Amino acid sequence: MRERLSAVLPPMGWLRDYHRTTLVQDLLAACIMTVLVIPQSLAYALLAGLPAQAGLYASLLPVIGYALFASSSALAVGPVALIALMSATTVGDIQAAGLADFATCSLVLALLCGVILFVMGVARLGFMANFISHPVISGFISGSALIIILSQVGTLLGIPTEGSTLPALLRSIGEHVGRFNDPTAILGIGSVLFLLLARRFSQRLFCAIGLPIGVASTLARLAPMLVVIATAAVTAWRHLDTSGVRVIGNLPSGLPGLSLPAINLPLVEALAVPAILISLVIFVESTSIAHRIAARRGERLDANQELMGLGAANLAAAVSGGLAVAGGFSRSVVNIEAGARTQLAGVFSAIGIALVTVFFTDLFHYLPKATLAAIIIVAVTTLVDFRAIADTWRYSRQDGLALLTTLLLTLLAGVIPGILAGVALSLMLYLYRTSRPHVAVVGRIPGTEHFRNQQRYAVETHPLIVILRVDETLYFANARYLDDCVSELVSQRPEATDFVLMCTGINTIDASALETLEAINTRLQSAGIQLHLSEVKGPVMDRLRRTRFLQNLSGEVFLSTFDAWRTLSDRHPLSTHAIDSSGEKANPSGAH
C-alpha cells in the first residue's frame, strides 16, 4: 500500500530518507531562489496583463501542488514568460468578447489547464506531447520571444503600445517612439545594459576573485534583484514617479484568499481550445527542462507524474489568485546550482515568498515597471534561436519549413494561431512523409547474408526474384503507394516468378494496409508470381495470424531474407549478376 502511495505521491518515498544535510542544502537553495523568483514573478504577472501581486501568488501554492506529485527533484515551477504571453493573448481576446473580466478569464484558463494536465496524467497520456515536433516548438518559442520583447518596448520607454503581432506592435511603437519618457527610458535601457553585461561578465569576474564556479554562477543570476533594488531606490530618492515613471505602486499585503473563479459555460467553451494548446506547451516546456535535470542527476523521470504535478500546480494557481504556471529554465538552473536536493527547496522558497507577501510588499512601491520590462526582455533573448533555423533547414527541408512557418505565423498572426498552425503542419508533414515511404529493391552483397539497395551497392540479383524492402510502417496513408510500387516493379520485371516483401522496417500493418496486401497477393498470383514475406516482426506476425491473409498467401513467410534468397534461388538455378551503384552489371558471380 505504501509503495502504491509513493508511486502517486513521490514525497512519501524520498521523505523517509531525508537527512539534516539535505535539509540545509534545500534551505540554502530556497533562500537564493526566493531572491531570484520575486522580480521574475512580478514581471511575468505584468506580461500576462495581471496585477503584479498575481505573480507572487502564482509562486506560493502552485509550488506546493507540484511538489506533491512531481517525479523531478529540482524542476522549479512558477510564472514563465511564454505561458504568460499565451495567457495574455488568449484572455485579451476573450475579454474583448465580453464573456468575463480579465482576472476571471486568467483564473479560469489556469483552472482548465490544471484539469487538462491532471486528467492527462491520470489517464497516462504523456505521449500526446509528441504531437508537437521540436522544430515547431523551436519556431514557436523564437517567434513568441520576439513578440514578448517588442511588447515590452513600450513599458521600457514609457510609451503606450498595443497589439499582439509583429506588424501591430511595430506600428504602435513607430507611432509613439518620439514621445518616450526620458527618466523611464534611462532606467529601462540602463537596466537592460546592466543585465546583459552581468550575464556575460559577472560569472567570469566572480571566478577571477577566487569564488567556486558554482557559487559564481549562482551569484551572477541574482543580477535582476540588484537592478530591482537599485532602480527602486533611485526612483524613490528622486521621486521619479512624479516625472512620468510608472511604478508598481501599492501591492496588497497578506496571503491570497482561496476560492474558485466564477465559471460559466460560454467562457469554458471559448477557453477550451486555447487551454488545450497552452497545456501541451506547459508540458513540453516543463518536461524538456525536467529531462535535462534527470539526465544530469541520473534520475528517472515519469512523464505522467509530471503531468499530474503540473496539473496540481495550475489548479492551485486558479484557486489562489495566480496565473497559469510551468517549469522555468532559469529558476531550475539556479535551484540546481544553489544545491537543491529535493522539491522541499521549492516549498521553502514559497514560504519565503509568502513572508515577503505578508510583511514586505511596501518595498516594491517604487519599483519601476520599466525595470521589470528589462528583466523580461533580457530573460527571453535566450529563447530566440536563429541558428536552429539554418541547422534544421540544412538537415531537413520539411522540418525547416515547419519551423519557419510556425515562426512567421506566430509573428504575423499571434501565438495561438502560430502554435495551431505548427501542430497542424507537423501532422500534415508526418502524413506526407509516411505516405511515400522509402522503398528499395535489394540484392545480396556477395559472400554475405546481408541485403542492400541495388542502387547503392554492388549486389547479386536474380532475374526471376524481386526483393522489395519497405522502410516504414504500413497504414492507410501509404497502402496505395505500396500497391503502385509493386505494380511498377512487376511491369518492369515481367519474367519474375517470385516477389519477396522484406519487412524489416514494418512495425505495424493496419486494416487498410492488410486489405492492400491481400489485393497485391491476388493480383500477383493471377500473373503467376508468388508473394513471399521475410523478416516479419513478432507483433506483426501475431496480428497476421489472426487473419486469413497467411492462409491465402501464395508464397511463404521466411525467417530471414537470406533464407528466402537461398530457397528461391535453389528453385531457379540461374546465373546471378552483381550490380554496381549506377545500375550497370559488374563482377559476375557463379550460380546460387
Side-chain angles (χ1 to χ4, degrees), residues 364-386:
F364 301 105
H365 179 91
Y366 289 102
L367 175 59
K369 292 187 176 181
T371 301
L372 298 179
I375 292 173
I376 293 172
I377 289 173
V378 174
V380 302
T381 52
T382 57
L383 301 178
V384 182
D385 189 1
F386 290 120

Side-chain angles (χ1 to χ4, degrees), residues 449 500-504 532-538 541 545 556-567:
E449 297 182 6
V500 180
L501 190 63
M502 186 176 176
C503 303
T504 50
H532 310 274
L533 306 180
S534 71
E535 305 193 39
V536 183
K537 296 182 178 179
M541 181 60 74
R545 287 195 180 102
E556 303 172 48
V557 178
F558 294 96
L559 182 63
S560 69
T561 305
F562 179 72
D563 288 341
W565 167 268
R566 183 172 53 188
T567 301

Side-chain angles (χ1 to χ4, degrees), residues 358-503:
V358 172
F359 298 109
F360 303 109
T361 53
D362 290 344
L363 297 177
F364 301 105
H365 179 91
Y366 289 102
L367 175 59
K369 292 187 176 181
T371 301
L372 298 179
I375 292 173
I376 293 172
I377 289 173
V378 174
V380 302
T381 52
T382 57
L383 301 178
V384 182
D385 189 1
F386 290 120
R387 190 174 68 177
I389 299 174
D391 291 344
T392 304
W393 185 264
R394 281 196 299 268
Y395 181 74
S396 169
R397 292 288 189 270
Q398 293 178 349
D399 286 335
L401 176 63
L403 191 157
L404 278 173
T405 301
T406 306
L407 172 63
L408 292 175
L409 282 175
T410 300
L411 291 173
L412 299 177
V415 292
I416 298 299
I419 191 65
L420 268 174
V423 172
L425 186 59
S426 291
L427 294 176
M428 289 174 61
L429 287 175
Y430 170 77
L431 290 174
Y432 175 77
R433 280 196 296 261
T434 57
S435 68
R436 300 178 62 83
H438 179 264
V439 297
V441 178
V442 300
R444 178 184 175 227
I445 294 179
T448 73
E449 297 182 6
H450 300 292
F451 289 78
R452 293 292 186 269
N453 188 342
Q454 70 176 29
Q455 298 299 320
R456 294 177 178 270
Y457 295 87
V459 296
E460 294 177 348
T461 61
H462 193 293
L464 302 183
I465 304 170
V466 179
I467 305 176
L468 180 68
R469 190 187 72 217
V470 181
D471 299 329
E472 185 60 72
T473 285
L474 297 180
Y475 73 119
F476 64 91
N478 60 25
R480 178 59 61 86
Y481 181 78
L482 174 64
D483 195 358
D484 293 341
C485 288
V486 172
S487 297
E488 183 177 354
L489 279 172
V490 170
S491 66
Q492 294 172 356
R493 302 276 293 275
E495 74 282 5
T497 59
D498 295 274
F499 194 104
V500 180
L501 190 63
M502 186 176 176
C503 303

Side-chain angles (χ1 to χ4, degrees), residues 88-100:
T89 303
T90 300
V91 171
D93 294 339
I94 302 301
Q95 184 196 31
L99 294 176

Side-chain angles (χ1 to χ4, degrees), residues 73-270:
S73 62
L75 180 69
V77 300
V80 297
L82 181 57
I83 304 305
L85 175 66
M86 295 184 73
S87 176
T89 303
T90 300
V91 171
D93 294 339
I94 302 301
Q95 184 196 31
L99 294 176
D101 62 86
F102 202 97
T104 300
C105 286
S106 295
L107 293 175
V108 173
L109 179 61
L111 180 68
L112 291 177
C113 289
V115 171
I116 291 168
L117 289 165
F118 198 87
V119 170
M120 285 177 64
V122 172
R124 319 296 287 177
L125 297 179
F127 68 90
M128 289 187 65
N130 298 327
F131 290 152
I132 308 181
S133 69
H134 177 73
V136 165
I137 285 293
S138 179
F140 173 68
I141 290 177
S142 292
S144 299
L146 292 172
I147 293 293
I148 290 171
I149 291 171
L150 287 174
S151 71
Q152 296 305 300
V153 169
T155 306
L156 193 76
L157 301 178
I159 60 176
T161 55
E162 59 183 15
S164 58
T165 63
L166 178 66
L169 286 167
L170 289 176
R171 183 168 55 250
S172 181
I173 293 170
E175 291 173 353
H176 301 98
V177 70
R179 300 194 295 273
F180 65 87
N181 179 268
D182 291 345
T184 301
I186 292 173
L187 288 172
I189 296 174
S191 297
V192 169
L193 292 175
F194 174 81
L195 291 170
L196 288 174
L197 290 172
R199 173 189 288 173
R200 182 160 188 177
F201 299 111
S202 58
Q203 180 176 336
R204 200 178 307 169
L205 178 62
F206 289 134
C207 288
I209 63 176
L211 292 178
I213 187 169
V215 175
S217 177
T218 300
L219 290 176
R221 295 180 184 276
L222 298 182
M225 181 53 77
L226 293 178
V227 81
V228 163
I229 294 171
T231 55
V234 169
T235 303
W237 174 46
R238 303 296 298 177
H239 300 287
L240 295 180
D241 55 321
T242 62
S243 301
V245 175
R246 296 167 59 201
V247 297
I248 292 295
N250 294 322
L251 291 179
S253 60
L255 298 176
L258 302 181
S259 63
L260 279 172
I263 304 174
N264 59 73
L265 184 58
L267 179 59
V268 171
E269 291 176 344

